[in-house]
Amino acid sequence: MKKSYSKLNLLQKKLQGLSSPKGFFDYILGRNRKYLTIVIGYYDYIRGEVFIDDMCDVFDDVPRGFDLAVLIHLLYKDFLTQIKKGNINKQVAGFLLSGKARYLGEKKVEKRVMKALTERVFTFESIEEEIIEEESEKEKKAYITIQMKESEILRGEIFLHDLTPYLNDEHVTIEDLLTILYLDFINQIKEQGNSDKIQKSILSHLKSAL
């Protein structure tokens, strides 16, 4: 097993004995904290910022410092909680595969082309062509850096490795997972609007983390 499941590659380092054990002062000084960066479309970034602004307008007790990085971390921790409870790996793999295709895949367009069967007989078939965007047409990107415990990242890497038999040779990293979780959340907001239940749940998680 040589796959890297995040830019930090924690699982490989553990297996190779390259990671050093953490002492009490490492935890006190926050040395067990690591950083991962994801890249998303700028509109999805703005939509998330607006969601947070809405929460701050509706609730007076939103903790200071609540931003997109904190929101994504909350989504990830909720995901870890669910898998620790025993989610079916095959179902989660399906979610990640569809999410990667939807949110991280190359844009493609279906075209109908004429294909000759004989000199006088033709048929139409559908083909997919990848869309290559001009530099001026590319959407502006936003970079979000998320701070997490090293143990949280390692737990996710181990889970992704466990999913290998169900991922159809598709490689998924923690960065991919974070992006999928966030964009899936934002897509629900786009489709259904703000949910009082979701906002209160997020607020409850924020307060419990203090």
Side-chain angles (χ1 to χ4, degrees):
M1 180 187 67
K2 295 183 179 180
K3 286 183 179 179
S4 172
Y5 292 98
S6 79
K7 289 185 177 179
L8 297 173
N9 204 14
L10 297 181
L11 180 55
Q12 282 296 328
K13 289 178 181 177
K14 284 281 186 182
L15 292 173
Q16 296 169 15
L18 299 177
S19 59
S20 56
K22 298 293 186 295
F24 174 75
F25 286 104
D26 290 312
Y27 288 95
I28 292 295
L29 298 174
R31 291 174 185 160
N32 66 322
R33 298 278 176 173
K34 301 294 181 181
Y35 298 87
L36 292 176
T37 300
I38 66 171
V39 184
I40 60 173
Y42 205 67
Y43 176 79
D44 293 311
Y45 169 80
I46 293 173
R47 190 64 189 85
E49 291 279 283
V50 170
F51 173 79
I52 290 174
D53 287 342
D54 288 347
M55 277 195 61
C56 293
D57 288 340
V58 173
F59 301 99
D60 296 326
D61 50 349
V62 176
R64 293 183 63 183
F66 178 45
D67 57 16
L68 281 188
V70 174
L71 174 62
I72 294 169
H73 188 204
L74 284 177
L75 295 173
Y76 179 68
K77 289 203 295 184
D78 185 62
F79 177 83
L80 288 182
T81 299
Q82 295 305 315
I83 65 173
K84 288 175 183 178
K85 290 180 179 178
N87 256 318
I88 300 174
N89 285 6
K90 192 172 182 179
Q91 292 179 350
V92 178
F95 165 74
L96 292 179
L97 287 174
S98 62
K100 187 171 183 180
R102 180 175 187 179
Y103 302 121
L104 303 176
E106 297 291 340
K107 292 182 179 179
K108 294 183 178 181
V109 61
E110 187 174 272
K111 295 180 70 174
R112 298 280 285 174
V113 296
M114 186 181 292
K115 180 181 179 182
L117 295 180
T118 67
E119 290 183 6
R120 292 188 174 86
V121 180
F122 295 85
T123 185
F124 284 94
E125 66 176 18
S126 297
I127 62 170
E128 282 190 343
E129 287 190 355
E130 184 176 321
I131 299 175
I132 301 176
E133 295 180 324
E134 296 293 336
E135 196 65 34
S136 59
E137 295 176 347
K138 287 184 179 179
E139 181 187 5
K140 184 179 177 182
K141 300 294 183 181
Y143 294 77
I144 303 174
T145 299
I146 302 108
Q147 177 184 250
M148 290 186 283
K149 293 179 182 177
E150 183 176 315
S151 59
E152 293 173 335
I153 300 171
L154 178 62
R155 182 64 184 91
E157 288 194 20
I158 289 172
F159 179 69
L160 290 177
H161 177 67
D162 289 345
L163 288 188
T164 300
Y166 307 106
L167 290 175
N168 302 329
D169 296 322
E170 191 73 42
H171 185 53
V172 179
T173 65
I174 297 296
E175 289 88 347
D176 293 336
L177 172 57
L178 293 171
T179 305
I180 291 168
L181 290 174
Y182 173 71
L183 293 180
D184 191 66
F185 173 80
I186 286 299
N187 193 56
Q188 290 183 47
I189 300 299
K190 291 177 188 175
E191 292 178 352
Q192 303 171 19
N194 291 344
S195 164
D196 182 65
K197 182 178 179 180
I198 291 176
Q199 289 177 326
K200 287 180 178 178
S201 176
I202 291 173
L203 185 58
S204 175
H205 280 77
L206 286 171
K207 290 180 176 179
S208 65
L210 294 177

